[in-house]
Each structure stands twice: as structure tokens, then as C-alpha cells.
Amino acid sequence: MTAPNELAERFGTPSFVYDLDRVARARDDLFAALPAEFEVFYAAKANPHPELLNELRTGGCRAEISSVGELDAVLQAGFAGEQILYTGPGKTTEELTEALTRGVRLFSTESLGDLRRVGETALRLGVTADCLIRVNNATGAAATSIRMTGVPSQFGFDSETLPDLAADLREVPGTNIAGLHFFPLSNAKDEASLIAEFRHTIAMAAGLQKALGVTFRLVDIGGGFAAPYAVQGERPVYGTLRAALGETLDEHFPGWRDGAPRIACESGRYLVADSGTLLTTVVNVKDSRGQRYLVLDAGINTFGGMSGLGRIMPVNVEPHESVGTDGTPASLAGPLCTPGDLLARNVFLPSEAGDLLTVPNAGSYGPTASLLMFLGRPAPAEVVVRADTVVSVSRIQHIRTYEHGQAL
């Protein structure tokens, strides 16, 4: 890949650099870790950049979306409607109308009301929607990872209530119950935890198939594939997952190898996180009452809009080249007029304005997960490379449009 300092000189900072070769490597590693019969949905929320979407599509991924904006992105990247799974707890009639009109037929539904809204919209358009029932498991198997279920939530049907809803679910006009959708885990700590959770999910799915009296055509067992995020580290390669999944599915769904049911999983950060590097420059160095601040041109408007939720900070920021330091710990502040614009505290870095710093593993949850419009600062450049070739350079622009009245 072209050296970061050369890219920074050409395109400025802050900027994200995405390496398509690393996207392809992650995609191939994930497919190799799964049984050959598996389908893989890419969660577009991780990074909806069109070049990354296209790379994943051409390598066999399908798309998982949860808005009409993401629908636009994946269709423009070449995905067909039948390759898309539409998810989310707040699907409006208007969104559903647009999705169905543009060819989407597969939806994950979170509640009986959500299922009925999908059915009503499909009936009005003269089509039938295939619906997955998203399940909020009451129990799980992995004890050391980020749990996504087992608590009250806007996501999914509580697993313990589903058997009593069986008749209601089967009788919603405009829909076919195609199967189940699970997402019990995020960023599994290790392969053993991931396997344990998938085994638990598959057993749960088999029990629910019997309880609901429906022959499933598709079971999406979710994700949980790990990847370092804005810190140093290597994306894991799973060596025993394929055999473990095959063994468990043979036990609970004997016809799965022939597509009865089809089995899918989904991933976001695993597929794109290690493809990205954030380039940022030290703008100013400030000492205040015994605390040093390195003020960067990248803050939570560029990377880390979810930091207030504890999702990002602290990042690992490093000098592009080996530069001496006076040993003074510093907080890394962004350029925004808020004390919340901090990316890290007590880090040892060079203290000269103009230094180029890099944030590794920054290919997921970057610009589109950040406070891009806050204070009106320009969005970072997004540079896509393959080997030493720059494929594209783009920047998100926000344009106000008027539905009533006119511009001054």
C-alpha cells in the first residue's frame, strides 16, 4: 500500500485509507472458516462505502441493511433486491413501501406489530414478503463476550413467548414465515466462545421450529466474529469453527447440507475493520494545569461519534515514523468545541505540531458512525487503494434541501 505520509500529502488529513486487498482477505478468511453451504450477509452499517460494498458483493456476500439510505448504497453497489435482508425495529410503512417496490423480499421482524406492518404493506403492493422472526434468546452460552440478548430489548421476540404466538405469526396476511434471525453476540472473545454460542443458537432454532409448527427455509444464526477496533491487533482466523458448525447442524437440522434449511450468518467489523487506517495530524500542543493536550484534526466528528456510549475511546494512535518524546503523557483531543471530544487519555506521543499520526483497524464504524455534521466541519477524505494504486477518493457532503419554502 502507498505510504501513509504520501497519501496524507496528496489528500490531506483527516483521511481514511481503505485497502481492498485486506477486505478481500477478510472475506475469504470468513468463508473458509464456515461450511461451504453457508450464506454470509455483510452488515452495511459497519461501512457503506460503495467500493467496499462492491468488493464484498463480487466475493459472494449478501447485504444486511436497516434503512433506505443503506438500501440506496447497496443497490448502487450492484446488489439485487433478492440479495438483501432488511432489518431494524423501526421500519415505517414508507420505508417498507420503498424496499418492496425496489425488489427486497426478505425482512427480519422484531415484534408482532412489525410483522403485521410488513404484511399490510406487501398486501397493498400485491406481493408477499418472506419474514424472519428475530429471536431475543432468554439464555446464552458465551459468558465473556458482548451479549446482545437475554434482557428487555426493542430487538426481537422474547424466546419464551414465541410458542404462544405461533398461530398469530402464521396467519399474518402478506407474509410467509421463512425462518429465524438471531444476533446474540458481538465481538466474541475467542473461538471457543463463538462456537459455544452458535451451538446454543442452533439448538434453540431447532426447538423453535418444532414449537412454531413451521418448516424453516432460512436460519440466520447471527455473528459475533471478532476484530480489533481502533487498537493494535490482528483479526483472528478461525480454524475449528467450520467442523463444529457442521457437526451441530447435522444433529439439529439433518437436511441443511441440501438447503433444508439454508443457513446464514452475518458480519460487519470482521470483514472491514482491518482494511482501514485513519490518518490525522497534530494541530496544536497545549499544557494546562499539569495536563498536556495534543489537539488533532480528527475528533468524534471524524471517528468516534459513539464514544459517548463507551464504544470507541481510547483508540491506539501512533506516530507514522519513530519520533522522540519527552515522556509527558497527553490526552488526544479533537477540534470540536466540546470537552467530550477526546479520543484517548494518558498516551505517550510526539509533541510537535505537524506530526502525522495513524489509527489502525479503523475500517468499520468510521465517518458514518460519527458526528459528521456537528459544527459543520468537512467530512474526512476516504481514500480507497488496492496494492499501490489509488482506486478512488471521495468525501461525504451534506446538502440541505427544501420541501417547503425556498432558500434565502
Side-chain angles (χ1 to χ4, degrees):
M1 187 180 80
T2 305
N5 59 328
E6 294 179 20
L7 294 173
E9 288 175 6
R10 290 177 63 185
F11 306 114
T13 63
S15 56
F16 285 85
V17 182
Y18 307 128
D19 185 339
L20 291 179
D21 287 335
R22 295 190 72 86
V23 175
R25 194 173 307 132
R27 178 199 64 214
D28 293 346
D29 283 348
L30 184 56
F31 273 107
L34 299 168
E37 296 85 354
F38 265 52
E39 299 174 11
V40 174
F41 287 94
Y42 170 60
K45 61 180 172 288
N47 190 331
H49 192 288
E51 302 281 5
L52 275 62
L53 288 171
N54 181 65
E55 184 70 27
L56 293 165
R57 178 189 61 81
T58 57
C61 291
R62 301 179 67 180
E64 183 263 310
I65 64 170
S66 57
S67 72
V68 293
E70 289 184 344
L71 175 62
D72 285 340
V74 300
L75 290 175
Q76 290 170 10
F79 287 94
E82 61 266 20
Q83 295 176 294
I84 299 169
L85 168 63
Y86 203 116
T87 70
K91 298 182 285 291
T92 67
T93 299
E94 292 76 17
E95 290 177 61
L96 292 168
T97 299
E98 183 162 354
L100 287 162
T101 300
R102 300 176 76 179
V104 179
R105 291 294 180 271
L106 182 62
F107 297 84
S108 173
T109 57
E110 315 274 359
S111 65
L112 191 55
D114 190 27
L115 179 66
R116 286 171 174 160
R117 186 173 296 107
V118 174
E120 290 165 0
T121 308
L123 274 179
R124 181 168 51 79
L125 295 173
V127 299
T128 300
D130 287 331
C131 293
L132 302 180
I133 301 302
R134 180 164 174 172
V135 182
N136 180 357
N137 279 355
T139 59
T144 57
S145 304
I146 302 173
R147 295 224 55 81
M148 303 293 287
T149 56
V151 296
S153 174
Q154 70 269 44
F155 299 109
F157 291 77
D158 295 341
S159 58
E160 64 272 22
T161 69
L162 272 173
D164 292 336
L165 293 174
D168 291 331
L169 296 173
R170 292 195 301 264
E171 294 170 4
V172 176
T175 69
N176 285 325
I177 302 303
L180 298 178
H181 178 203
F182 295 84
F183 201 89
L185 186 68
S186 178
N187 206 34
K189 182 179 180 180
D190 50 44
E191 188 168 14
S193 298
L194 185 65
I195 289 171
E197 193 64 43
F198 277 149
R199 281 176 167 159
H200 181 78
T201 294
I202 292 165
M204 170 72 74
L208 286 172
Q209 178 172 249
K210 182 177 180 180
L212 294 176
V214 176
T215 300
F216 296 149
R217 289 179 284 125
L218 174 65
V219 176
D220 181 346
I221 62 174
F225 308 103
Y229 180 37
V231 295
Q232 291 293 334
E234 297 295 323
R235 173 179 49 77
V237 175
Y238 299 111
T240 61
L241 179 60
R242 173 185 279 232
L245 285 170
E247 175 186 321
T248 305
L249 286 163
D250 286 341
E251 177 184 355
H252 294 286
F253 290 100
W256 76 277
R257 295 183 187 274
D258 298 317
R262 292 162 28 230
I263 306 295
C265 63
E266 58 196 75
S267 178
R269 85 165 78 185
Y270 185 89
L271 290 168
V272 296
D274 76 348
S275 73
T277 303
L278 171 61
L279 311 182
T280 180
T281 299
V282 178
V283 175
N284 192 27
V285 179
K286 179 180 185 292
D287 292 304
S288 175
R289 295 172 178 164
Q291 174 65 53
R292 174 160 293 181
Y293 290 87
L294 301 188
V295 183
L296 312 179
D297 59 6
I300 59 175
N301 60 317
T302 299
F303 188 61
M306 293 188 289
S307 61
L309 305 177
R311 295 293 298 275
I312 293 179
M313 200 181 79
V315 300
N316 282 170
V317 182
E318 296 188 343
H320 168 57
E321 297 176 333
S322 177
V323 182
T325 175
D326 60 9
T328 303
S331 292
L332 303 181
L336 304 184
C337 297
T338 170
D341 191 15
L342 290 174
L343 294 181
R345 293 187 177 95
N346 297 320
V347 296
F348 290 86
L349 283 170
S351 56
E352 296 294 328
D355 286 333
L356 177 65
L357 308 180
T358 62
V359 180
N361 293 311
S364 61
Y365 302 105
T368 56
S370 302
L371 302 179
L372 274 179
M373 293 188 70
F374 188 48
L375 292 182
R377 297 184 69 87
E382 294 179 272
V383 183
V384 180
V385 302
R386 192 189 298 276
D388 292 326
T389 301
V390 174
V391 176
S392 71
V393 182
S394 62
R395 193 186 304 270
I396 296 170
Q397 298 284 354
H398 293 283
I399 302 173
R400 187 181 301 277
T401 59
Y402 286 81
E403 297 181 6
H404 300 284
Q406 60 185 13
L408 296 176

